[in-house]
Amino acid sequence: MSQKLKTVVCLFLIFCVYLICADFSYAQTQKQDHDWVWNILVIPPQGGWEKEPGKSIRTALSWCEREISESSNGIGGHDVKFVSAPAPVSGEISVQDINLSIDSETIAVFSFSFSPEVDRVLVSRMSGRNIPLILAGGENVLIDRGGRPIRNIFALDMYRDYRAAAFALYAKKIYPSEKRIALAASRFTVNQEREAKICYNFLDNEGFMPMPYWADASVRDSYEMMSEEIESFEGDKAGVVISFMGSMGAREIWRNFMRLRTLWRLWNCAEPDKTYLSCRGMIFADQNIMLKNVGGFIETKRLLWRTRAMPIDDTVASGRAVTLYEWLKRAVELMPQPVDIMPRDLLLRNLERVHEIPFGNQKLTITPELHRPSERDVFIVEVRNHEFEFVDEVKTRGLVYVPAY
């Protein structure tokens, strides 16, 4: 082979090696750029992304995304992309609409569905995986199994049992232990009986002597007899009845109290909704109902507008979005920095130990026993002039779920 041909072959081989190395280097760069971004899948609220609170949630998450991308270290040395799950055309999400588009770069799933039916399906499908599912609500969604919270499921709301504890705390706050307090419940409904017994134990521990009344919810006359028996109790004509009878039962007791013109008050251990606005004087305890008015979320609205001129209308929905972002961010920040590859088991452990998460004017601490806040402000409201009006608030601890008492 001539010297010239050898030179040409040698140059050709060198060029081939260069192309291979360049291609490998480009592939590595692409991989690094790809791995630089972590994805968070976001489930839309009822009504979809184009209505409130959907637009406010997306705006708040967009603000969080830009804050991360413009910071020096991002979050654990990474940028974050919030991937919006597609909303159905109708806007109303059903269990068939849930599309979990999870890839290797997905580090978490946020659910803003605020639908117990949808969130229960999400819990079932995500249970046991190494990717956390964090519910922006979750008051009526059980995230426990076998007496312990599911390792990768978390929720921002306390479970519904908190109302029983809140009413006992409120009674202690405003009444002497001699005050007559009756508990009206049905033994044939698991949640109602359990919550009544929770409240009984709390009241008993506070020195009260609660009087339980167990009724058959299927017999309408039982409400009238119960109301008359309570109202005729000797020694106190202005006691309190805490109802665990559900919507129909509470209304029947209230109607009979109105008919009897009694001075006894009715506290309803149920979620307040507009159907109760005709029940003048009825008292409720709820962790969410007054967040818009006194929860401090107007500051979130001002922050988004002041820093990036981002307008929002639903301050509570956007506030929940920022809180979930802060929750995840602080869990990542508990790891050795920077985080090259997400240690998913460590992320789950950190999520259950995050302290002082801002939630409006509250600071929330998550516990391993609950995978929820250890306590929240619970608002006491009364129906007045066809409105729920603020009466008081009590700091209430979340309760470990016990299926029966």
Side-chain angles (χ1 to χ4, degrees):
M1 182 182 294
S2 67
Q3 185 63 36
K4 184 176 181 180
L5 182 58
K6 288 181 179 179
T7 302
V8 171
V9 171
C10 184
L11 290 173
F12 176 75
L13 292 174
I14 292 172
F15 179 69
C16 289
V17 171
Y18 170 77
L19 289 177
I20 292 171
C21 291
D23 184 63
F24 177 77
S25 177
Y26 176 76
Q28 287 297 102
T29 302
Q30 289 295 97
K31 185 178 187 301
Q32 290 173 1
D33 290 343
H34 185 59
D35 290 344
W36 178 260
V37 180
W38 284 334
N39 295 331
I40 300 172
L41 180 64
V42 185
I43 307 300
Q46 297 295 325
W49 293 118
E50 301 308 317
K51 296 182 179 179
E52 299 296 349
K55 290 192 291 185
S56 293
I57 291 170
R58 292 185 81 170
T59 299
L61 293 178
S62 176
W63 180 87
C64 296
E65 198 173 282
R66 290 171 63 178
E67 285 287 299
I68 295 170
S69 66
E70 295 179 11
S71 65
S72 58
N73 297 319
I75 173 173
H78 294 256
D79 284 340
V80 165
K81 180 181 180 182
F82 292 98
V83 180
S84 300
V89 176
S90 65
E92 295 301 313
I93 305 174
S94 66
V95 294
Q96 293 81 13
D97 295 319
I98 301 174
N99 180 17
L100 295 177
S101 302
I102 296 174
D103 56 28
S104 59
E105 280 70 49
T106 301
I107 63 166
V109 178
F110 291 172
S111 173
F112 294 93
S113 78
F114 304 114
S115 163
E117 293 75 22
V118 172
D119 282 342
R120 288 186 191 114
V121 173
L122 284 171
V123 168
S124 176
R125 291 177 60 182
M126 291 290 297
S127 177
R129 302 175 70 164
N130 277 340
I131 299 174
L133 167 65
I134 308 180
L135 309 179
E139 174 176 296
N140 293 301
V141 181
L142 192 62
I143 62 173
D144 293 60
R145 182 178 295 159
R148 296 179 60 84
I150 302 170
R151 62 185 294 268
N152 67 315
I153 312 297
F154 303 84
L156 188 56
D157 282 352
M158 296 187 296
Y159 189 60
R160 54 178 291 169
D161 292 348
Y162 74 87
R163 288 191 177 89
F167 272 147
L169 291 173
Y170 182 54
K172 177 188 176 183
K173 186 175 182 179
I174 66 172
Y175 291 135
S177 59
E178 295 79 19
K179 186 71 174 180
R180 291 296 179 179
I181 300 178
L183 306 179
S186 168
R187 288 191 182 276
F188 303 101
T189 307
V190 176
N191 278 333
Q192 294 174 12
E193 180 181 6
R194 188 188 75 253
E195 290 167 3
K197 290 181 177 179
I198 291 172
C199 191
Y200 182 96
N201 289 335
F202 271 94
L203 289 166
D204 184 57
N205 290 337
E206 297 298 344
F208 291 95
M209 297 180 63
M211 305 175 294
Y213 289 84
W214 303 101
D216 183 350
S218 64
V219 180
R220 183 164 181 165
D221 289 346
S222 63
Y223 299 117
E224 184 174 350
M225 291 186 291
M226 177 191 295
S227 303
E228 291 177 351
E229 183 178 354
I230 293 171
E231 200 275 337
S232 64
F233 185 85
E234 293 184 4
D236 196 338
K237 296 300 182 181
V240 172
V241 177
I242 306 178
S243 171
F244 301 85
M245 299 294 294
S247 178
M248 185 187 77
R251 291 171 192 280
E252 287 298 321
I253 296 173
W254 179 81
R255 290 190 185 100
N256 281 297
F257 277 2
M258 292 298 102
R259 176 179 59 82
L260 295 169
R261 299 180 182 277
T262 180
L263 296 178
W264 279 67
R265 305 295 304 277
L266 179 62
W267 296 2
N268 190 357
C269 194
E271 187 173 351
D273 59 54
K274 293 182 179 180
T275 62
Y276 289 110
L277 291 179
S278 60
C279 300
R280 175 173 51 86
M282 191 178 286
I283 297 285
F284 293 85
D286 193 79
Q287 64 186 328
N288 295 318
I289 189 169
M290 285 290 153
L291 287 177
K292 180 178 179 180
N293 295 342
V294 297
F297 290 103
I298 192 66
E299 294 305 318
T300 302
K301 180 174 183 175
R302 290 170 179 163
L303 175 65
L304 268 62
W305 179 255
R306 185 178 67 252
T307 57
R308 300 192 183 278
M310 289 182 167
I312 57 172
D313 291 324
D314 193 323
T315 56
V316 177
S318 61
R320 288 182 184 274
V322 173
T323 297
L324 262 58
Y325 152 73
E326 281 288 341
W327 188 350
L328 183 66
K329 175 186 173 185
R330 294 185 183 202
V332 174
E333 289 174 343
L334 291 174
M335 302 174 182
Q337 303 291 307
V339 184
D340 294 329
I341 300 174
M342 173 60 73
R344 296 182 180 273
D345 288 338
L346 180 57
L347 175 63
L348 294 179
R349 291 197 296 272
N350 288 349
L351 282 168
E352 64 182 22
R353 292 177 171 86
V354 178
H355 294 264
E356 300 292 307
I357 309 170
F359 182 61
N361 53 22
Q362 301 181 55
K363 299 290 184 181
L364 306 183
T365 294
I366 311 302
T367 67
E369 296 77 18
L370 299 174
H371 281 200
R372 301 174 184 265
S374 59
E375 62 181 14
R376 286 266 304 265
D377 291 339
V378 176
F379 306 103
I380 307 299
V381 297
E382 181 178 353
V383 179
R384 299 172 183 166
N385 301 317
H386 296 277
E387 298 284 348
F388 291 114
E389 294 193 11
F390 176 82
V391 175
D392 205 342
E393 65 182 76
V394 288
K395 183 76 73 175
T396 304
R397 294 192 61 81
L399 305 178
V400 174
Y401 176 76
V402 179
Y405 280 81

